[in-house]
Amino acid sequence: MPVSVDWNELLHAFEFASFGQPGEHEALLCRKTGKFLWQTDVEEDIEAWPDDADDEEKYLSIPHKKELDLGKPLVFEFARQILPDEYDEIRRMFDKRGAYARFKDLLQRKNALDRWYDFENKATETALRDWSEVNGITIEPAAGPASEPDRR
């Protein structure tokens, strides 16, 4: 049964589920109502978590960014495309803890931080829209200036 959701709400749920390590924060989409539910093991539940949350006919688990290859694989793809001369250095960075901080420092030095954020945002949107389509989710256009008709 297809469900329709607001793009901004889906993105917010995805960002919540992707915060920290996989499993630390969870978000579900109720297939019947289109409402999102939230849970974290860091603090008390934000909302009542249903006992049948694992029933895939009723609920759809919002993926963590790592499930959509939006972690290290995306960094390496960015390096291949945008900073090929830095690729080996970036690969080595991710062999140790604290890699994202070092990566962002490098991007700052190379004046490429904005390009990274654009690249990451586009990849996230594409992956999340593809995931939604596979799971029978219809995304309503985001409200605001981006969804207003072109008035040329």
Side-chain angles (χ1 to χ4, degrees), residues 9-120:
E9 288 180 22
L10 176 60
L11 184 59
H12 187 68
F14 173 74
E15 289 169 346
F16 177 82
S18 296
F19 187 74
Q21 293 300 313
E24 284 183 15
H25 299 83
E26 294 179 78
L28 290 178
L29 172 64
C30 177
R31 292 182 184 267
K32 183 178 179 183
T33 65
K35 301 288 181 199
F36 291 96
L37 303 171
W38 315 81
Q39 174 177 282
T40 179
D41 70 356
V42 177
E43 56 187 64
E44 288 187 33
D45 293 346
I46 295 172
E47 287 190 33
W49 199 249
D51 292 332
D52 58 351
D54 59 348
D55 183 342
E56 293 179 6
E57 288 186 24
K58 290 183 179 180
Y59 300 100
L60 181 61
S61 179
I62 305 302
H64 187 280
K65 68 182 177 181
K66 289 182 179 181
E67 294 174 64
L68 300 180
D69 288 333
L70 296 171
K72 282 195 295 189
L74 186 63
V75 168
F76 297 151
E77 184 59 29
F78 176 81
R80 264 192 289 284
Q81 289 184 30
I82 309 300
L83 298 171
D85 294 342
E86 312 301 329
Y87 182 80
D88 290 336
E89 180 182 351
I90 292 169
R91 291 273 316 178
R92 282 190 298 275
M93 282 179 192
F94 281 85
D95 288 339
K96 300 175 191 152
R97 294 180 60 85
Y100 278 101
R102 287 190 304 279
F103 174 62
K104 289 189 177 172
D105 286 344
L106 173 83
L107 294 177
Q108 197 91 38
R109 289 191 312 273
K110 298 290 182 179
N111 293 318
L113 193 56
D114 287 340
R115 290 177 76 185
W116 161 247
Y117 288 132
D118 289 342
F119 188 87
E120 183 182 38

